[in-house]
Amino acid sequence: TFTNHVTQRVLNVDTMNPNVKRIEYAVRGPVVQRAVQIEKELKEGVKKSFTEVIKANIGDAHAMGQKPITFFRQVIALCVYPDLLEDKFPEDAKNRARRILQACGGGSLGAYSASSGIEVIRQDVAKYIEKRDSGIPSNPDDIYLSTGASDAIVTMLKLLTAGEGKTRTGVMIPIPQYPLYSAALAELAAVQISYYLDEDKCWSLDVGELRRAVKAAREHCNPRALCIINPGNPTGQVQNRQCIEDVIRFAAEEHLFLMADEVYQDNVYMEGCQFHSFKKVLFEMGPEYSSVVELASFHSTSKCYMGECGFRGGYMEVINMDPEVKLHLTKLVSVRLCPSIPGQALLDLVVNPPQPDEPSYATFIKERTANLHILSEKAKMTEQVLNTVPGIHCNPVQGAMYTFPRLTLPEKAINAAKEQEQAPDMFYCMKLLEEMGICLVPGSGFGQRDGTYHFRMTILPATEKLKIVLEKIREFHKRFTEEFS
């Protein structure tokens, strides 16, 4: 009898957590997995019509060749190996490193910190937010440092999820969305409430659509939170101030907790567009709103001009949170001990960069400006080139790091995809990868209106490489359309 027991594993696909099975994360999904296989095949000498796979699937700036900011890396190097403080490094870099190390247990980055993050860094984050928001106060006790913004977003969703059946928490997320949201909601068995962005109006958000979505959702769940991604991922839109005010009013009327994902706040490229933080607009609307609307906003070291994804640095600021819930939030984050200390150190430099009277300032400004300028140029180029391809329509990339163009696919291609039990844009992206060595993410991984097809592409490849990518997409789309016409 004992041997019979052993034949079936304790943990198998039938006995594992069903919520985990429901998770999908397209940014590292089947197309990307196949791209990795193809890279191995190329290394082994398999002949293909291309010599390398160009990955434009993920917002990973340094992997795509973006250069790190010198000052950030100098200070991190000094923090990791303090013996370098004896060497020739700029004085301001040494001062930052000493300040950070003094705030670490035993003067080492290898020590744990407080669960919500190192106190001086939370103070620096609060000062940064105050400066960004024209003097609106920020309290370090409302700041929680996190392992990238993702970690803080999942933590907030955990706090919000409760109830069963019709009382189960519903969370409103934009479609198209960054699939962290749908994945986290699936894992928590919370209810996803989709609201659609308006592609014909440059992916703008319409409060009428929010009303439709929340009204329909109240039939089967308890809507409790509204997530906003601004600037947009994957859609690259930047919300105007009026729109943000309307969203805040809607959240107040419908009694919803607001979650503002603002990790692309420095990535605004288009003239006439400007980043407005939800917190700033909330407080400028006066106490009628600023004393009642509950808000968590998120930022990260992974995007903007830094692109330091691997350090996993980020923070959230919570506004109007119930003090008793805050105690539970602190308890929840303390279970994981603390966010990465090098990530916290890097975040400190992002929120407290070199000042005009410091020796590293000129180089810092030059590098920061160059990184953002290059992204801005690539945003324009991507939109212009894709819009010359018949059958591809691309909205302006107002901000962030992606474009999400709409594809017109022939009926024959749609049927061929169905035969292979694939979404049509997945079929398209797989074929593009196999024939051209270009790795993109199908729109179906982010959500889209039924009957429309898209792909998400980052604007991060180096300019010359991006030109190749765009040229190959143009050539492929023409060939694909002819093949299936």
Side-chain angles (χ1 to χ4, degrees), residues 8-78:
Q8 191 172 27
R9 288 194 171 99
V10 174
L11 181 63
N12 61 43
V13 172
D14 297 325
T15 62
M16 72 177 277
N17 181 337
N19 294 338
V20 175
K21 278 198 275 195
R22 287 171 42 226
I23 292 172
E24 286 180 15
Y25 186 67
V27 174
R28 296 197 170 190
V31 181
V32 186
Q33 287 157 15
R34 177 64 188 132
V36 172
Q37 279 179 336
I38 290 174
E39 282 181 319
K40 281 186 186 147
E41 289 170 17
L42 287 169
K43 264 195 189 133
E44 287 158 9
V46 177
K47 286 277 172 277
K48 299 197 181 277
S49 61
F50 48 88
T51 53
E52 65 166 340
V53 173
I54 303 178
K55 291 195 182 121
N57 62 296
I58 194 165
D60 190 352
H62 291 196
M64 297 272 105
Q66 186 174 306
K67 291 281 176 278
I69 299 291
T70 305
F71 179 77
F72 292 175
R73 289 303 181 87
Q74 286 172 333
V75 180
I76 294 293
L78 291 164

Side-chain angles (χ1 to χ4, degrees), residues 122-143 277-284 290 295 297 317-320:
R122 286 188 290 120
Q123 288 166 355
D124 287 348
V125 170
K127 283 181 202 144
Y128 162 83
I129 292 170
E130 273 184 23
K131 190 175 169 192
R132 181 198 70 188
D133 292 344
S134 315
I136 290 162
S138 176
N139 180 350
D141 292 339
D142 293 337
I143 309 285
S277 79
F278 263 77
K279 183 189 175 190
K280 180 172 189 262
V281 176
L282 173 63
F283 277 80
E284 287 174 351
S290 64
L295 168 70
S297 45
E317 181 182 29
V318 294
I319 304 294
N320 293 325

Side-chain angles (χ1 to χ4, degrees), residues 238-241 268-276 398:
V238 178
Q239 286 186 351
N240 64 41
R241 195 200 155 88
V268 177
Y269 312 122
M270 208 165 165
E271 297 232 344
C273 286
Q274 194 190 339
F275 170 74
H276 301 278
Q398 297 176 341

